[in-house]
Amino acid sequence: MNINIIYQTKTGHTEKLAKALGDVLNVEPINICEPHILNETDLLFVGTGIYGGKPDEALLDYLYNLPNNKIKGAAIFSSSASKSDNTELIVNILRQKGIEVLNKRFHCSGQFLIFKWGHPDKTDIKNIKEFARMVLSFIA
C-alpha cells in the first residue's frame, strides 16, 4: 500500500504531528509549500492547522488542484486552539474529487499565543500515533 502524508503549517504544530505519523507509517511527510512530487497514493494523510475557524488556504488550493485519479483514500488530522476540528472543507473537496475520506479524524489542541501552552504535547503525539495504527488496522 502506498501511503503519503501532506501538511501545511504556519506554527510548526502540524509538522510535529505529521512527523509523528511518519514515524509510525515509515513515511517522510511532505510540506506542501516545498517542491515535491506526489505519486499515486492509496492512502493520503492530510494535515492542517485551523486558523480563524478554517483550514489553511494554501492547503485548500493544493487540494483543489490534486488530480482526480491520483488518490484513492484520505485521512484528516488537524490542530487548533479551539475544540472543533473544522475540516469539513477538506472533506468536501476530497469527496468532490471522488476520494474516499475516513469518517474518523484526528484533532488536537495547538498553542496560540498563551493559550493551550505546549500543545501539541506528548499526549497529543501518543494519540496521533494511535490514530495512525487505528487507520492502518481499519484499512488492512
Side-chain angles (χ1 to χ4, degrees):
M1 172 172 286
N2 190 12
I3 298 174
N4 280 299
I5 304 165
I6 61 167
Y7 70 94
Q8 163 58 16
T9 188
K10 291 182 181 177
T11 60
H13 302 142
T14 309
E15 180 177 28
K16 190 175 180 181
L17 296 172
K19 287 182 177 184
L21 277 173
D23 289 345
V24 172
L25 302 170
N26 200 25
V27 173
E28 186 66 34
I30 300 168
N31 182 333
I32 64 159
C33 293
E34 295 174 3
H36 67 278
I37 296 172
L38 184 63
N39 296 317
E40 289 196 23
T41 303
D42 296 312
L43 178 61
L44 180 66
F45 283 83
V46 178
T48 187
I50 304 297
Y51 309 101
K54 292 184 353 182
D56 187 271
E57 201 64 41
L59 179 72
L60 296 176
D61 289 343
Y62 181 91
L63 296 175
Y64 277 122
N65 291 306
L66 272 179
N68 288 3
N69 59 353
K70 202 168 198 167
I71 312 299
K72 292 181 183 172
I76 312 298
F77 65 100
S78 64
S79 68
S80 70
S82 73
K83 292 182 181 179
S84 177
D85 81 359
N86 293 329
T87 55
E88 282 303 313
L89 281 170
I90 293 171
V91 172
N92 292 338
I93 293 168
L94 294 172
R95 287 187 175 152
Q96 287 172 3
K97 292 183 159 293
I99 298 169
E100 185 178 338
V101 180
L102 295 177
N103 288 331
K104 178 79 172 152
R105 297 176 228 164
F106 178 85
H107 178 77
C108 72
S109 294
Q111 181 179 323
F112 177 70
L113 301 174
I114 61 169
F115 304 102
K116 312 285 184 179
W117 191 261
H119 284 274
D121 61 13
K122 289 179 183 179
T123 301
D124 299 322
I125 297 303
K126 176 181 158 267
N127 290 341
I128 198 163
K129 287 181 176 185
E130 288 175 10
F131 173 72
R133 291 182 192 100
M134 182 272 307
V135 169
L136 286 179
S137 70
F138 179 74
I139 61 172

